[in-house]
Amino acid sequence: MTKLRGWLHATVWSTAGLAAASGFGQFGVIALLGDLAEAFGEPAGGGGIPQVGMAATTVGLGLAVIRLASLASLPAASIADRFGRRRVLIAVCAAGLGFTVVSAASPSWWWFVAILALGRPLLAATNAIAGVVAAEETTSQDRSKAIALVSAAFAAGSGLFAVSRALLDQWIGFRGMLALAVVPLMLVPVVGRRIEEPERFASVTAAPRRRLVGPMPRSLRPRLVTLSAIHFGIGFLSGPVNSYIFLYGEQVQGVDATAMAALFVASGVTGLAGLLAGRWAADRFGRRVTAASGLAAGAAFAFVTYSGSRVGLFVAYPLTVLAASAFTPAAGALDTELFPTRARATAAGWIAAAQILGGVSGLAAFGVLADTLVSFTAAAAAVSLPAAALSLAYVRLPETRGLRLEESGRPPTDGP
């Protein structure tokens, strides 16, 4: 019988540690976007937003390229179904952080984009596999707690970068900040020693192996398509809303780096509250209703964040993070609970790919609309409405609350 752990087990916490390292590595491009726009200055000129320092279209396309490159996280995550969760998780996290360190030497905006495009899929795969490990190691009662812990760790890593920037940026600049990723990189092998291979995975390794990336069984495709559509909408919203926040706050609203760091710390507090509330609601009311409510609320608050005032920024953004964090444990549990063990990491890769494509589309659309309409508010409305509408798609999925993975992931009978 498979031995399951509680959410406080060393494997879960160590996996969360790698998620934190991934958050630190990925957040640099967001927190430093204003600095990058000034350093690699390419003024917006005619129809753009002059305060930004670089055309919003250029920024959006660069961020879209980085996000598009994250599609490579699909085979990286799927490899974990073949060679094991632990070794792949450690490898992709270390390599992704390595590329973040190298990006500190970028001579131009597009060199920076190219280097991060190599590392981003590896860090995205770290997040996907970390969620799979947290789900497979724990009981149904502890699963949403473990996923919430991994999500909180990722947010903590991101927040640590934001705070470090407020304290150190004036001394070491954006290049020094990117080079700081060497610190979590050195800790990866230390933390990795505490991670065990989930017994659920070990129990199926004797079975015939799937292709590295392949289609789902026919009976599972409706679940995968529905989840992929939802996550496309999430990416379409979260990609621009989170990526432009420092640029919008500092360059458009005139907020200094210290105040933006304080905003992010406050968002970390609301994010933790959201994770706790979302974990409780997912176990009490179910995965579907909690996820749908969090997604719809997050879309509404995201629009208000970019409504054109500092009050909207400082009030609505922490509420956006609260709603998104409440969404995460329920949605993360459902994403893992609806697929069998041998296909779980592959499904996570496909779902991540859909969210990446949504992020690419959202970033490109947001930048073009902001430049064309000279308005972040109109661009925010364009990315918020589709995500709110897609929250209704959760009614098409089965509820998995209280079920063991072997039960919730059992495929319906295939058709002829």
Side-chain angles (χ1 to χ4, degrees):
M1 185 175 179
T2 302
K3 184 177 182 180
L4 301 178
R5 315 287 188 179
W7 70 282
L8 295 176
H9 189 263
T11 289
V12 178
W13 278 85
S14 299
T15 300
L18 295 190
S22 173
F24 190 92
Q26 291 188 62
F27 197 68
V29 65
I30 298 172
L32 298 171
L33 202 51
D35 292 347
L36 292 164
E38 290 182 3
F40 302 136
E42 186 180 320
I49 301 174
Q51 307 97 305
V52 172
M54 181 185 289
T57 300
T58 301
V59 174
L61 289 176
L63 295 175
V65 168
I66 295 171
R67 190 65 65 95
L68 183 63
S70 297
L71 282 175
S73 65
L74 170 57
S78 189
I79 285 171
D81 276 338
R82 185 180 181 94
F83 297 110
R85 300 358 182 172
R86 179 182 179 275
R87 69 174 73 175
V88 177
L89 177 61
I90 294 171
V92 294
C93 185
L97 290 171
F99 280 112
T100 303
V101 174
V102 173
S103 72
S106 303
S108 69
W109 168 248
W110 290 109
W111 268 103
F112 175 78
V113 168
I115 294 170
L116 278 197
L118 296 174
R120 184 62 179 267
L122 300 169
L123 294 178
T126 299
N127 297 344
I129 300 170
V132 170
V133 172
E136 291 183 341
E137 276 286 273
T138 52
T139 64
S140 60
Q141 293 80 9
D142 283 320
R143 194 170 302 126
S144 61
K145 299 184 184 72
I147 291 172
L149 175 64
V150 171
S151 300
F154 177 84
S158 302
L160 179 60
F161 191 99
V163 172
S164 299
R165 179 192 174 230
L167 297 174
L168 301 175
D169 190 45
Q170 61 179 323
W171 306 106
I172 64 177
F174 75 89
R175 297 186 189 278
M177 288 303 306
L178 291 167
L180 279 180
V182 74
V183 177
L185 174 60
M186 294 172 63
L187 293 175
V188 167
V190 178
V191 175
R193 293 193 192 101
R194 304 280 292 173
I195 298 175
E196 300 175 356
E197 189 68 55
E199 289 190 20
R200 274 194 169 105
F201 173 79
S203 67
V204 301
T205 53
R209 291 175 170 177
R210 298 172 53 86
R211 289 178 287 174
L212 290 184
V213 180
M216 287 289 105
R218 183 182 304 177
S219 58
L220 292 173
R221 291 175 195 171
R223 297 179 180 180
L224 184 60
V225 169
T226 300
L227 286 171
S228 295
I230 292 170
H231 281 270
F232 181 93
I234 294 167
F236 194 76
L237 172 68
S238 65
V241 166
N242 292 327
S243 297
Y244 279 92
I245 192 68
F246 276 80
L247 186 68
Y248 172 73
E250 294 177 2
Q251 307 301 105
V252 177
Q253 292 297 331
V255 179
D256 62 32
T258 301
M260 287 302 297
L263 171 63
F264 207 80
V265 170
S267 300
V269 174
T270 60
L272 178 59
L275 285 171
L276 295 174
R279 192 278 308 165
W280 174 80
D283 287 339
R284 184 175 181 84
F285 302 115
R287 306 340 190 182
R288 296 184 305 170
V289 65
T290 304
S293 301
L295 180 54
F301 290 131
F303 169 72
V304 178
T305 297
Y306 287 87
S307 61
S309 70
R310 289 192 182 186
V311 174
L313 173 66
F314 279 89
V315 174
Y317 186 69
L319 292 176
T320 303
V321 175
L322 185 147
S325 298
F327 164 87
T328 299
L334 198 62
D335 293 346
T336 57
E337 289 169 345
L338 287 176
F339 299 96
T341 299
R342 278 180 288 172
R344 192 167 292 121
T346 298
W350 282 112
I351 292 169
Q355 187 160 333
I356 290 164
L357 288 174
V360 170
S361 303
L363 285 164
F366 194 98
V368 171
L369 287 171
D371 270 344
T372 303
L373 303 175
V374 197
S375 171
F376 276 95
T377 304
V383 300
S384 298
L385 290 174
L390 281 167
S391 66
L392 299 175
Y394 274 107
V395 300
R396 295 176 54 85
L397 298 170
E399 180 57 62
T400 59
R401 176 171 62 103
L403 299 178
R404 297 172 62 247
L405 284 181
E406 289 75 14
E407 298 170 331
S408 62
R410 186 179 298 126
T413 304
D414 282 332

